[in-house]
Amino acid sequence: MFDLGRLERQAVRRSRTLHGVRTAGIAFAAAVAAVLVAAVAARLGAFAPRLDLSVAAVLFIAAAAIAGFVVGHAPRPDIARLLLSIDLALATGERLCSLHELRSRSGATPLENRIAARLAEAPPAWRRVLRLRRADILPWVAGGGALTLAVLLALTIAPPAPTATVDSSHEVRVSSGRNATQGSSNPLEAKTGAAVASDRGLSPSEPAEPFADTLAELLSAPPSQGLLGDLGDETPTEASSPARNSRRSLSEYLSQLLSRAQADRNQTFALTEHEKESLQDLLRNVPGSSLRQSLSSLLGGETGDALKARLEESQRLLENSARGDEGEAGSQAGRSPGSPEGEANGSNPESIGWVPLPPSSDGETETTEASGRRTGADAGEPETQGGSALPRNEEGGSAVGAEGTGQAPAAPPGLGFVPEELLGSVGSEGDLRRYFTKGTPFEPPAENRAPVATLSLDYEALRALLETRALTPEVQTIVRAYFAEITRGGP
Amino acid sequence: MITEYDLDRTYSTLERLRGAIGTAVVGQGAVVEAALVALLCGGNVLLEGVPGLGKTLLVRALASSLGLRFSRIQFTPDLMPADIVGTNVLSDDGGRRQFTYSPGPIFANIVLADEVNRATPKTQSALLEAMEERTVTVGKATYLLGTPFLVLATQNPIEMEGTYPLPEAQLDRFFFKVPVGYPSLEDLVAITERNTEGGGVALPEPVASADDILSAQAVVREVPIAQPLRQYVARLVLATHPDSGHAPKDVQSFVEYGASPRAAIATILGAKAHALLAEEPNVRRADIEAVFPLALVHRVILSFRGEAEGIGVPALLRRVWEETSVL
């Protein structure tokens, strides 16, 4: 006799399993699609792709599939409909559902026996109907698998290197980054890389930015006490904003000390240890070794009127140095990008390269501070000096060293550092030159561009940037080469 | 409760009936089957076809094979209701005069109402009331019609001049409306052979009794139909209603009124009888498919637009069938 009850139990169990698997497939595909959206968002910069996020995505997909199975498996199917679906699929003449209908009534009928007898003669192969067909699950699994591959690729492949075109948003970031840091160049306020990043609203997990942004960070980083300091104190130009700020800080501090000395009527005025330490810190950042040596005499332990005289002399030296800066600034103003000379200079493509400069005319082994003094002396003639001033921007690049040398530029090496002038020689190490860089591969627009002389680098911040910004290997290589060149003082 | 004997008896009766009718009627298998289904369900059939297609022969052969009383009413414009249901006549019974009831031709087991659309609505109504109520009331007396009772009405789809088409309410009382088509080539050859040689067409001998039919009618109602199939039939009928959510677009566009609940009843009951005729113990989807158009074709009323565009109800029902899911 045909056992309809057993068939019903098995069919229901299998139907629930199948429904669960189908639902799991749909949930799997949906979860993968959601993760893909997240991956695309990560690629667009919403957040940084990280290993833990990848693991979480995989767990999410697995959990969605399991949840889909549970949800699909839970509801009990309508047995009559299930049996009718089997009947229709197997063309059994709707005997299964009819027998179920008769059995749900009270009392057996001859028709029930006839139906059961016919089912017993030709048992329906109902398992063929309730099986997982490829058409049921394959599209979902294939689609989900393809999406998974896409997700994995999106999560694992590094972001593409930036193209040579820098969009306006990057330019804005470059300019704003520089402007935000120009006023805080005090080395005492130099921050670590993480601190720099946090100051600029960048989280350590922030995704990779184009190279232009990185260079903007570099340009706007506070002055370094690190590698650039190793190059020699003379390397930063006098006209640089950090140098001016350092002098200003020192001048203010000296003014305070001087006023205290003048107020001392007992002639016992002397610097405290704390004041000496502060003074030392400020002196360390004063550009120009001669100026620094002059000011270092303040720490000699003198007291009373002698110390007062030293303070006044130092104050005077600082004022002279400041005047030199102003003169140089006037020179730069006279060499604006719109000036005829600037345009002429900018039109010379050979400006990218080395311009070997002869030793300075007076042959002094002067630091940039001394050069600043000389420029400051010339500041009274901006019209004549402006055009021949050192090129600090790209447009004026061809004029590098024009006044000082008058020589043709040499063949340009890779990164295009231009030796401005030979400052002298340092012992057995050879010539001491001052260099100006042509700029970065992704220069901001001229209106947002600051003089290259304002370039200052914080190597801790730089290292933190390189470690946290997920630069592509190519970009990292370029950046390393860039600073390797700087470290060596040029090619 | 039916027994195995009833079931076997029914199968046997139906087999004999089909064989007997087949000896007289060539072809028209669908019409014969529809007539038998209606007989098993206790319904009445409206046969629609041009003259000369064997409608009367079919009815006569059916009545003859069942050994039941048969009557034929030719509907004409001057036919009166009393001509159908009968009337009281003054009779003289041993010098005592009294009115006695003289039954009309409706008092038969199988009635052929030929060209029913030629009678006046009043006469048509008398017939259809008798069909529905299975009783006839004359004066103050009510008379029961015989059992089994089957009316097979015919109407000619052409020559509509001077006819009185049956109103929709009257049409709804027919269990099925069966189109009678032309015979096929082979059937036509066989028809000419039977009618032109020997003694002509002979009506079959009785092969079943009224009791056999009544027993079969009881068995029909016991044939099981699964609940999902019952729901399917309900959805099919609802799909003929233009305002229903189940209706296909064509139905929404061209149908004025959908089928009545009688259509669902006729479909399920007809499917049961059809399954029994096929010697199946239960209703199949194929049984529903076989009777669905017969039960609904006269119950769906086209809109003006549908009639203007020449939309056929059978085509609409086919669309309904195709677009309604079983599950």
Side-chain angles (χ1 to χ4, degrees):
Chain A
M1 199 61 167
F2 185 74
D3 189 354
L4 181 67
R6 182 162 169 267
L7 184 148
E8 285 179 357
R9 287 190 298 274
Q10 292 178 347
V12 166
R13 194 161 52 240
R14 183 171 284 218
S15 171
R16 292 174 69 180
T17 304
L18 282 178
H19 198 245
V21 170
R22 288 193 191 104
T23 314
I26 295 170
F28 170 75
V32 169
V35 171
L36 180 61
V37 169
V40 169
R43 295 275 293 175
L44 294 176
F47 57 89
R50 300 197 311 265
L51 180 61
D52 53 347
L53 289 180
S54 302
V55 172
V58 172
L59 290 177
F60 170 68
I61 292 170
I66 293 171
F69 179 81
V70 171
V71 169
H73 186 268
R76 186 175 177 80
D78 183 342
I79 297 175
R81 290 172 65 87
L82 177 63
L83 294 176
L84 177 59
S85 67
I86 295 172
D87 282 327
L88 292 172
L90 297 177
T92 60
E94 288 75 26
R95 287 181 190 131
L96 288 173
C97 59
S98 298
L99 186 59
H100 173 79
E101 180 77 18
L102 285 173
R103 297 227 168 135
S104 63
R105 301 175 187 170
S106 57
T109 68
L111 289 166
E112 181 182 336
N113 298 332
R114 298 280 174 109
I115 297 171
R118 293 194 183 191
L119 286 171
E121 287 173 10
W126 62 271
R127 285 183 178 81
R128 283 195 312 172
V129 179
L130 297 179
R131 67 184 169 85
L132 200 60
R133 294 184 183 84
R134 272 181 295 184
D136 289 336
I137 199 71
L138 193 60
W140 297 107
V141 171
L147 288 176
T148 304
L149 281 178
V151 168
L152 291 176
L153 285 174
L155 289 177
T156 52
I157 293 178
T163 60
T165 304
V166 181
D167 61 26
S168 59
S169 64
H170 294 148
E171 291 170 357
V172 170
R173 292 194 63 163
V174 167
S175 112
S176 62
R178 179 179 294 114
N179 294 337
T181 54
Q182 272 181 347
S184 61
S185 58
N186 191 333
L188 294 175
E189 296 171 7
K191 300 175 178 64
T192 63
V196 169
S198 64
D199 275 2
R200 288 162 195 159
L202 306 173
S203 69
S205 63
E206 191 160 349
E209 295 288 338
F211 185 35
D213 257 5
T214 304
L215 292 178
E217 296 286 350
L218 300 177
L219 288 171
S220 60
S224 166
Q225 303 244 347
L227 198 52
L228 273 187
D230 296 338
L231 292 175
D233 292 337
E234 293 77 14
T235 302
T237 64
E238 263 193 323
S240 67
S241 187
R244 281 198 299 271
N245 291 335
S246 299
R247 271 198 306 274
R248 192 178 304 120
S249 301
L250 181 58
S251 177
E252 289 172 359
Y253 194 63
L254 290 179
S255 298
Q256 290 176 13
L257 294 177
L258 195 57
S259 61
R260 203 158 65 82
Q262 287 170 347
D264 181 41
R265 297 174 188 277
N266 300 329
Q267 305 296 322
T268 57
F269 173 69
L271 296 178
T272 64
E273 286 303 315
H274 177 69
E275 287 169 338
K276 286 181 179 177
E277 286 176 9
S278 300
L279 198 55
Q280 265 182 327
D281 284 339
L282 290 170
L283 287 174
R284 195 175 297 126
N285 297 291
V286 171
S289 59
S290 61
L291 178 62
R292 190 159 56 241
Q293 284 169 5
S294 302
L295 296 176
S296 297
S297 60
L298 289 170
L299 304 172
E302 292 172 317
T303 60
D305 287 339
L307 178 57
K308 186 179 172 184
R310 286 282 183 197
L311 285 171
E312 288 171 346
E313 182 189 352
S314 299
Q315 189 78 309
R316 201 165 43 251
L317 281 172
L318 278 174
E319 287 171 359
N320 289 339
S321 175
R323 276 197 296 274
D325 270 2
E326 290 166 5
E328 186 163 340
S331 301
Q332 289 179 359
R335 191 176 19 86
S336 63
S339 69
E341 279 188 339
E343 289 175 2
N345 295 336
S347 63
N348 184 1
E350 294 180 358
S351 62
I352 304 173
W354 292 93
V355 182
L357 300 174
S360 58
S361 57
D362 54 5
E364 59 179 355
T365 58
E366 203 177 20
T367 65
T368 53
E369 180 270 333
S371 172
R373 276 204 305 273
R374 183 196 64 207
T375 310
D378 295 336
E381 301 172 0
E383 287 78 18
T384 56
Q385 295 294 322
S388 60
L390 295 175
R392 297 279 158 75
N393 55 27
E394 204 164 36
E395 288 76 12
S398 64
V400 169
E403 183 190 20
T405 67
Q407 296 182 10
L415 290 174
F417 289 95
V418 180
E420 182 193 51
E421 57 184 340
L422 181 63
L423 299 175
S425 60
V426 180
S428 61
E429 294 182 8
D431 293 341
L432 176 64
R433 294 175 184 272
R434 181 167 62 177
Y435 298 100
F436 284 92
T437 177
K438 270 292 296 167
T440 68
F442 299 97
E443 282 286 346
E447 62 269 19
N448 294 330
R449 201 174 301 157
V452 178
T454 63
L455 173 66
S456 58
L457 297 167
D458 183 339
Y459 273 81
E460 288 301 317
L462 170 65
R463 193 169 59 189
L465 278 172
L466 292 177
E467 288 174 356
T468 59
R469 298 298 290 276
L471 299 178
T472 60
E474 293 83 3
V475 174
Q476 290 181 10
T477 303
I478 292 172
V479 174
R480 285 200 183 96
Y482 183 89
F483 291 102
E485 298 295 328
I486 295 176
T487 305
R488 289 197 302 270
Chain B
M1 178 69 72
I2 62 170
T3 62
E4 289 283 349
Y5 171 76
D6 296 330
L7 200 56
D8 291 335
R9 181 183 174 189
T10 301
Y11 286 141
S12 173
T13 299
L14 294 176
E15 188 177 351
R16 289 197 310 270
L17 268 179
R18 273 194 290 201
I21 294 171
T23 59
V25 179
V26 178
Q28 305 289 7
V31 180
V32 172
E33 192 171 67
L36 287 176
V37 167
L39 177 66
L40 291 173
C41 298
N44 303 291
V45 178
L46 176 62
L47 300 171
E48 187 176 70
V50 295
L53 293 179
K55 295 188 293 288
T56 305
L57 176 63
L58 167 68
V59 177
R60 291 178 67 89
L62 180 62
S64 175
S65 59
L66 287 171
L68 299 176
R69 248 176 68 190
F70 168 75
S71 66
R72 180 176 183 275
I73 308 170
Q74 181 64 48
F75 279 62
T76 56
D78 57 352
L79 188 72
M80 300 300 290
D83 297 331
I84 297 173
V85 299
T87 186
N88 289 323
V89 296
L90 188 61
S91 62
D92 188 355
D93 186 11
R96 182 182 171 208
R97 287 186 169 188
Q98 59 178 5
F99 282 103
T100 56
Y101 177 65
S102 174
I106 194 74
F107 285 88
N109 296 110
I110 296 177
V111 177
L112 174 61
D114 215 358
E115 295 190 276
V116 69
N117 56 338
R118 294 207 175 271
T120 59
K122 185 177 180 181
T123 308
Q124 291 172 357
S125 180
L127 171 70
L128 297 170
E129 280 179 26
M131 278 167 40
E132 187 67 23
E133 305 297 330
R134 304 292 170 99
T135 59
V136 170
T137 301
V138 178
K140 293 182 180 179
T142 299
Y143 305 94
L144 287 174
L145 296 176
T147 55
F149 180 76
L150 173 66
V151 174
L152 291 123
T154 68
Q155 69 176 9
N156 191 345
I158 59 174
E159 297 179 8
M160 300 300 287
E161 191 176 352
T163 63
Y164 302 90
L166 293 169
E168 284 77 15
Q170 308 284 28
L171 282 174
D172 195 35
R173 296 181 180 183
F174 284 100
F175 192 79
F176 285 164
K177 179 181 177 184
V178 182
V180 182
Y182 280 99
S184 65
L185 177 66
E186 293 79 13
D187 292 341
L188 189 57
V189 171
I191 289 170
T192 55
E193 186 179 344
R194 287 191 189 185
N195 285 274
T196 57
E197 293 179 3
V201 177
L203 291 176
E205 294 295 318
V207 294
S209 65
D211 283 346
D212 291 335
I213 298 302
L214 293 175
S215 172
Q217 287 178 346
V219 171
V220 164
R221 292 181 173 268
E222 294 295 324
V223 174
I225 176 171
Q227 191 66 17
L229 286 179
R230 202 183 295 273
Q231 293 169 349
Y232 174 51
V233 171
R235 285 200 303 275
L236 282 171
V237 172
L238 284 178
T240 64
H241 289 253
D243 297 333
S244 165
H246 301 85
K249 191 178 176 184
D250 286 352
V251 169
Q252 294 173 359
S253 302
F254 302 123
V255 173
E256 186 76 34
Y257 297 105
S260 67
R262 278 181 180 151
I265 295 169
T267 303
I268 290 177
L269 207 53
K272 288 184 172 190
H274 192 272
L276 212 57
L277 277 172
E279 299 188 359
E280 287 289 337
N282 59 277
V283 173
R284 305 159 298 166
R285 185 169 181 253
D287 299 319
I288 298 172
E289 185 178 12
V291 301
F292 170 69
L294 303 178
L296 272 77
V297 69
H298 56 295
R299 292 183 165 104
V300 174
I301 300 166
L302 292 176
S303 62
F304 175 78
R305 184 184 169 197
E307 290 189 356
E309 296 195 12
I311 302 296
V313 175
L316 282 177
L317 293 176
R318 173 50 57 183
R319 180 63 56 86
V320 168
W321 176 263
E322 289 168 351
E323 295 194 11
T324 304
S325 171
V326 182
L327 291 171

